[in-house]
Amino acid sequence: NAGVTQTPKFRVLKTGQSMTLLCAQDMNHEYMYWYRQDPGMGLRLIHYSVGEGTTAKGEVPDGYNVSRLKKQNFLLGLESAAPSQTSVYFCASSHRTGTTDTQYFGPGTRLTVL
Amino acid sequence: GDSVTQMEGPVTLSEEAFLTINCTYTATGYPSLFWYVQYPGEGLQLLLKATKADDKGSNKGFEATYRKETTSFHLEKGSVQVSDSAVYFCALSLYNFNKFYFGSGTKLNVKP
């Protein structure tokens, strides 16, 4: 099992450019999440999905869009990148169980917006 | 609202010293509590968890006890190693979509 993988690992964008980050998991998890990690702020939830075809906003959704067309994939899009979106982005997934469950994280994507 | 507060770092210790990283939480329901560890350049990995009051999570010599009366989940290790140098995150999870709330992270530096 590869677990949770993220593509790309690094990216540099100019202000106003667009890009899509891909997250894939092979654990048949129902729930998937996108976080951003900034110094001194821990992880903040951008968007999440509780199943194929469904998405919901997290704590900091502005400037991002997501799609979950397939159960194993969760895409994060930036339509018009801004310097404030310079961050490390982590994808995570978990089972849907009767109680809370562990989230499994990908290795992260380091994005710089100039 | 629901949140996690953990002690600010960095924490610098000598090898074989005792480690405590404090974590307290605020939650409207009955959360599960987690400690995650992040090594340089990597994603977060689960270190240990506890799902109900008085449970003790343990792994790799680390321990944390779910204290409902003090709303705390402090991380401890009796003898740290250089290889324990990392950032440690406390987190809680509620039943609602398994939504996680993370603390800001505590960086641990262990010197030989």
Side-chain angles (χ1 to χ4, degrees):
Chain A
N1 280 354
V4 180
T5 58
Q6 293 183 231
T7 309
K9 288 186 169 55
F10 303 94
R11 187 72 185 268
V12 179
L13 291 178
K14 294 181 179 178
T15 297
Q17 287 185 319
S18 63
M19 78 163 295
T20 299
L21 282 67
L22 171 63
C23 174
Q25 53 94 4
D26 61 2
M27 296 174 282
N28 201 33
H29 286 168
E30 294 83 5
Y31 294 168
M32 296 187 74
Y33 314 81
W34 275 107
Y35 294 91
R36 59 177 290 172
Q37 184 182 31
D38 300 296
M41 301 189 74
L43 277 75
R44 293 183 291 169
L45 183 64
I46 304 172
H47 286 281
Y48 64 98
S49 168
V50 300
E52 182 178 326
T54 70
T55 63
K57 294 180 180 179
E59 185 184 351
V60 288
D62 294 342
Y64 305 95
N65 56 74
V66 289
S67 64
R68 183 116 180 254
L69 300 179
K70 295 182 179 180
K71 185 177 183 179
Q72 64 268 32
N73 295 336
F74 194 29
L75 278 63
L76 178 71
L78 288 73
E79 290 186 347
S80 180
S84 61
Q85 294 178 303
T86 293
S87 187
V88 181
Y89 292 86
F90 288 100
C91 177
S93 68
S94 72
H95 275 302
R96 178 184 66 213
T97 63
T99 59
T100 56
D101 207 343
T102 303
Q103 288 192 6
Y104 296 86
F105 284 81
T109 295
R110 185 173 295 276
L111 175 66
T112 302
V113 182
L114 302 175
Chain B
D2 304 306
S3 65
V4 173
T5 302
Q6 61 183 103
M7 61 188 289
E8 290 189 19
V11 174
T12 301
L13 296 173
S14 297
E15 206 164 23
E16 298 184 0
F18 185 85
L19 169 71
T20 299
I21 300 178
N22 291 337
C23 171
T24 57
Y25 68 89
T26 302
T28 52
Y30 299 96
S32 293
L33 300 174
F34 301 78
W35 276 100
Y36 278 81
V37 59
Q38 183 181 32
Y39 298 103
E42 298 183 9
L44 280 70
Q45 305 173 23
L46 177 67
L47 181 59
L48 53 85
K49 70 177 184 180
T51 58
K52 61 183 187 294
D54 298 326
D55 268 2
K56 177 185 283 188
S58 61
N59 185 27
K60 299 180 181 179
F62 291 90
E63 292 183 341
T65 301
Y66 189 140
R67 302 286 189 197
K68 186 179 176 182
E69 64 276 11
T70 55
T71 62
S72 65
F73 193 54
H74 304 322
L75 182 68
E76 297 181 336
K77 187 175 185 182
S79 177
V80 294
Q81 306 299 312
V82 173
S83 57
D84 294 327
S85 297
V87 181
Y88 292 82
F89 291 91
C90 185
L92 71 83
S93 177
L94 295 165
Y95 299 141
N96 186 21
F97 308 125
N98 199 26
K99 188 174 179 180
F100 268 55
Y101 297 86
F102 285 89
S104 57
T106 302
K107 185 173 185 179
L108 171 66
N109 295 317
V110 181
K111 297 186 174 181

